[in-house]
């Protein structure tokens, strides 16, 4: 049976998922990129992974349009005038989202949604109905939980309504982040925590930290901090866990293996960027560029990594828990040394089309994929080895500063936490003071859970386990992480 037939006859795929899979199959049937033999060897070994972007990059991986421009000026290409009320605002956004591409074919960023809708809220009951229908349509038509909306940091009536509606709907889509700083009142943060315990969203972003690093930013996809009006051409990641296995010792890792792999991967990233910018015609033809919703000067690209913990443990030959990453000062210091080396490389490697980041790539703690085995997302402590909460927060905060384009940790809380959301808010405030960039939570009994950075319903994974097709394609990824990444075994706080 050919690959095309396998896709066509797959009973676990919806029609739309088959169309996307067939398009990817066609794209991967040709090779247009110039890839060195050394780089290809690292790809074949699973050390460099391009996260299924395909062999012919024809659109940026992540796009963050300036939706404020749509609300103020409308869109000529889509024949939309500026909206005048809540119904036009929600309807025009839904129309616009249909035409925002990404690696998933669907929008990964749908705006600072409370700020976008706030000017149109006159009657709160009517607004709640409009927002409920709006979020219901998002969940049913953008069938991919890498779709991400932002709230805050300032309070709005829209944010309050959105949190109420999402708590009632318990949908996995869209993902949500609350930009949190001193302007965010406690009552809004508490409402956000109540909703997160039920639906695993919103997460909390350290707004001051992201703003200092990126300026006008949005959180897209899982937890990716990128520039509004731009985005990321590509995200390629390094499996540090596998790279460490090729080193004879720590000196060999730092002197040979790591520099070689970083050079190969960065050159590969530049080659993917080159094709998108110089050959694909995306930036010459797409209406988002022509009308100024995005600009190629606002794009960067992401140098991702996973498996820092396993890398450290392998290099140290650590077998006892007290000697491992997250528990040993020696292990954590080695992790910092690795990150310092990677940051130094990134700061000195030129990527000419990454104008907005001074022709430099951005480090990213990638969340992992379904077939990762014994490889923890980004710089996280492996599931099953988590220390007590205060130690966990202090340890992880040491690493968040390295990742301006995204890093995060996930903390399930026991059921009675719902009776004391102020306690969780104090934890988040303390974590941000320690230097954490991004904090995610959910309740141990919630149906909607955070897999690694994206959201999936446990009940949908159960359907897929029975061979039943599910609406969201990210359920497949979640199933893989549950099987291989021990997602259900996270330590409950």
């Amino acid at each position: 049976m050919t690959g095309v037939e396998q896709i066509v006859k797959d009973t676990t795929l919806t029609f739309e998922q088959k169309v996307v899979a067939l398009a990817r199959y066609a794209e991967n049937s040709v090779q247009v990129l110039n890839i060195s033999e050394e780089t290809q060897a690292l790809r074949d070994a699973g050390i460099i992974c391009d996260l299924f972007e395909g062999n012919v990059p024809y659109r940026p991986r992540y796009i963050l349009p300036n939706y404020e421009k749509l609300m103020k000026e409308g869109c000529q290409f889509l024949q939309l005038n500026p909206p005048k009320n809540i119904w036009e605002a929600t309807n025009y956004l839904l129309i616009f989202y249909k035409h925002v591409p990404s690696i998933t074919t669907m929008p990964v960023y749908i705006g600072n949604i409370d700020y976008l809708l706030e000017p149109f809220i006159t009657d709160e009951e009517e607004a709640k109905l409009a927002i409920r229908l709006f979020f219901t349509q998002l969940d049913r038509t953008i069938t991919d939980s890498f779709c991400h909306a932002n709230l805050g940091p300032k309070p709005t009536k829209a944010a309050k309504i959105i949190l109420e509606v999402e708590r009632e709907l318990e949908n996995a889509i869209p993902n949500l982040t609350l930009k949190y700083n001193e302007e965010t009142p406690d009552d809004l943060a508490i409402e956000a925590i109540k909703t997160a315990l039920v639906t695993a969203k919103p997460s909390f972003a350290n707004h001051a930290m992201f703003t200092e690093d990126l300026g006008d930013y949005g959180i897209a996809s899982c937890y990716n901090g990128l520039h509004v009006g731009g985005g990321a051409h590509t995200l390629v990641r390094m499996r540090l866990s596998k790279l460490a296995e090729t080193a004879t010792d720590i000196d060999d890792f730092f002197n040979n293996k790591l520099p070689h792999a970083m050079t190969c991967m960065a050159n590969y990233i530049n080659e993917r960027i080159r094709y998108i910018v110089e050959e694909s015609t995306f930036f010459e033809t797409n209406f988002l560029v022509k009308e100024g919703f995005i600009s190629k000067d606002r794009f960067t690209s992401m140098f991702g990594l996973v498996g820092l913990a396993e890398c450290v443990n392998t290099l140290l030959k650590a077998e006892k828990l007290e000697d491992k990453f997250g528990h040993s000062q020696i292990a954590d210091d080695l992790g910092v040394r690795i990150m310092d080396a990677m940051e130094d490389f990134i700061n000195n490697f030129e990527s000419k089309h990454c104008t907005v980041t001074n022709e430099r790539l951005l480090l990213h703690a990638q969340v992992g994929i379904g077939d990762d085995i014994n490889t923890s997302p980004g710089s996280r402590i492996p599931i099953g080895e988590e220390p007590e909460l205060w130690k966990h927060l202090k340890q992880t905060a040491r690493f968040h500063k390295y990742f301006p384009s995204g890093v995060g940790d996930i903390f399930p809380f026991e059921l009675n936490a719902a009776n004391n959301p102020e306690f969780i808010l104090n934890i988040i405030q303390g974590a941000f003071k320690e230097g954490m960039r991004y904090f995610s939570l959910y309740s141990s009994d919630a149906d909607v859970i955070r897999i690694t950075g994206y959201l999936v319903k446990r009940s949908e994974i159960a359907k897929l386990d029975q061979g039943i097709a599910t609406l969201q394609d990210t359920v497949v990824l979640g199933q893989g992480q549950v099987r291989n990444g021990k997602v259900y075994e996270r330590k409950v706080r």
Side-chain angles (χ1 to χ4, degrees):
M1 190 185 300
T2 67
V4 170
E5 281 186 299
Q6 285 180 328
I7 294 168
V8 169
K9 294 180 179 180
D10 192 332
T11 60
T12 66
L13 296 178
T14 65
F15 171 75
E16 289 79 7
Q17 290 163 6
K18 288 179 181 180
V19 170
V20 173
L22 289 167
R24 286 176 176 157
Y25 186 87
E27 181 186 357
N28 288 329
S29 67
V30 296
Q31 180 58 261
V32 300
L33 300 175
N34 299 313
I35 304 172
S36 71
E37 291 183 6
E38 292 176 314
T39 300
Q40 188 58 48
L42 289 170
R43 293 179 73 207
D44 292 342
I47 293 170
I48 291 176
C49 169
D50 58 23
L51 294 164
F52 318 113
E53 283 192 4
N55 290 348
V56 189
Y58 59 94
R59 72 296 195 206
R61 184 179 182 99
Y62 301 125
I63 296 175
L64 284 73
N66 179 351
Y67 292 109
E68 286 76 9
K69 179 179 173 65
L70 170 69
M71 308 311 265
K72 292 176 182 177
E73 302 173 18
C75 175
Q76 294 178 13
F77 180 77
L78 298 177
Q79 302 175 52
L80 297 174
N81 294 320
K84 299 184 292 294
N85 57 55
I86 189 66
W87 298 105
E88 289 186 350
T90 51
N91 181 251
Y92 292 3
L93 284 169
L94 290 168
I95 293 169
F96 197 90
Y97 296 154
K98 175 67 177 176
H99 301 276
V100 179
S102 76
I103 188 60
T104 71
T105 75
M106 304 174 200
V108 296
Y109 174 75
I110 59 173
N112 224 106
I113 198 69
D114 54 341
Y115 286 16
L116 294 175
L117 298 181
E118 182 70 9
F120 305 99
I121 294 180
T122 52
D123 181 311
E124 291 194 28
E125 283 303 311
E126 182 181 28
K128 186 171 183 179
L129 174 59
I131 289 171
R132 175 186 290 275
L133 293 172
F134 174 73
F135 273 85
T136 299
Q137 183 159 342
L138 287 173
D139 183 72
R140 306 304 193 273
T141 58
I142 301 178
T143 55
D144 182 291
S145 64
F146 296 117
C147 171
H148 206 129
N150 296 176
L151 304 172
K154 296 179 181 179
T156 59
K157 288 178 289 187
K160 180 175 177 291
I161 293 171
I162 289 166
L163 291 171
E164 289 178 0
V165 165
E166 283 292 80
R167 198 155 63 231
E168 295 165 6
L169 293 175
E170 294 188 45
N171 288 332
I173 298 169
N175 207 335
L176 279 173
T177 290
L178 174 64
K179 297 176 176 179
Y180 182 82
N181 69 359
E182 68 280 352
E183 292 182 293
T184 312
D186 284 356
D187 61 342
L188 177 58
I190 293 297
E191 285 299 304
I193 290 168
K194 289 178 180 178
T195 301
L197 289 171
V198 175
T199 66
K201 60 182 175 181
S203 295
F204 282 65
N206 187 332
H207 185 59
M209 198 171 184
F210 273 110
T211 301
E212 182 177 357
D213 287 337
L214 301 176
D216 184 14
Y217 77 98
I219 303 295
S221 189
C222 290
Y223 50 44
N224 307 356
L226 293 165
H227 300 82
V228 172
H233 312 99
T234 184
L235 164 59
V236 181
R237 66 176 194 159
M238 183 179 296
R239 284 189 177 104
L240 290 172
S241 48
K242 285 186 175 290
L243 183 64
E245 294 171 0
T246 70
T248 56
D249 54 30
I250 291 175
D251 287 340
D252 181 45
F253 180 80
F254 279 102
N255 295 332
N256 302 304
K257 296 301 191 297
L258 183 60
H260 172 69
M262 285 193 295
T263 300
C264 287
M265 190 167 111
N267 286 329
Y268 178 52
I269 291 171
N270 270 359
E271 173 62 7
R272 297 192 69 86
I273 297 170
R274 181 198 65 78
Y275 193 89
I276 292 170
V277 176
E278 299 178 11
E279 297 196 43
S280 78
T281 74
F282 175 86
F283 286 104
E284 287 73 44
T285 61
N286 192 275
F287 82 96
L288 295 171
V289 183
K290 287 185 173 183
E291 294 193 35
F293 294 106
I294 59 174
S295 165
K296 69 179 180 179
D297 293 337
R298 297 280 294 170
F299 278 79
T300 186
S301 282
M302 300 156 75
F303 190 108
L305 63 90
V306 290
L308 178 63
E310 290 80 7
C311 174
V312 166
N313 295 340
T314 296
L315 292 175
L316 291 175
K317 297 180 174 60
E319 297 182 0
K320 296 179 181 178
L321 185 62
E322 60 264 29
D323 297 327
K324 291 184 176 182
F325 185 80
H327 296 269
S328 160
Q329 184 72 37
I330 293 173
D332 291 346
D333 288 347
L334 180 57
V336 168
R337 182 183 170 192
I338 292 169
M339 290 312 309
D340 283 339
M342 298 188 77
E343 184 179 57
D344 182 66
F345 174 85
I346 290 296
N347 288 342
N348 289 283
F349 183 86
E350 184 176 332
S351 187
K352 69 176 182 178
H353 291 299
C354 296
T355 308
V356 74
T357 48
N358 300 314
E359 299 187 344
R360 297 296 182 268
L361 305 172
L362 291 182
L363 281 170
H364 179 73
Q366 202 269 329
V367 298
I369 56 178
D371 59 3
D372 283 339
I373 299 174
N374 297 323
T375 300
S376 297
S379 58
R380 290 181 196 166
I381 298 169
I383 291 174
E385 297 181 1
E386 303 99 323
E388 54 187 297
L389 185 57
W390 70 271
K391 289 182 180 179
H392 196 154
L393 296 174
K394 289 181 73 69
Q395 191 274 357
T396 198
R398 293 185 69 186
F399 296 93
H400 279 209
K401 66 180 181 180
Y402 294 103
F403 302 105
S405 70
V407 63
D409 279 87
I410 304 170
F411 301 96
F413 285 86
E414 60 187 14
L415 298 181
N416 63 12
N419 299 323
N420 192 7
E422 293 82 5
F423 170 69
I424 297 177
L425 179 57
N426 289 338
I427 291 171
I428 295 169
Q429 291 168 338
F432 283 179
K433 286 179 181 177
E434 286 288 332
M436 275 192 73
R437 185 182 293 275
Y438 200 80
F439 188 107
S440 299
L441 66 140
Y442 58 87
S443 173
S444 58
D445 72 329
D447 186 25
V448 181
I449 63 169
R450 191 166 295 272
I451 298 295
T452 52
Y454 56 96
L455 310 179
V456 172
K457 289 186 175 184
R458 297 180 205 254
S459 55
E460 293 295 294
I461 293 174
K463 284 183 187 178
L464 198 62
D465 287 340
Q466 299 170 40
I468 302 171
T470 59
L471 182 62
Q472 285 91 23
D473 56 12
T474 31
V475 177
V476 177
L477 302 179
Q479 182 192 54
Q481 276 291 328
V482 166
R483 289 174 176 173
N484 299 325
K486 304 178 182 178
V487 168
Y488 289 169
E489 300 173 33
R490 287 192 182 109
K491 187 172 182 177
V492 177
R493 310 296 180 166

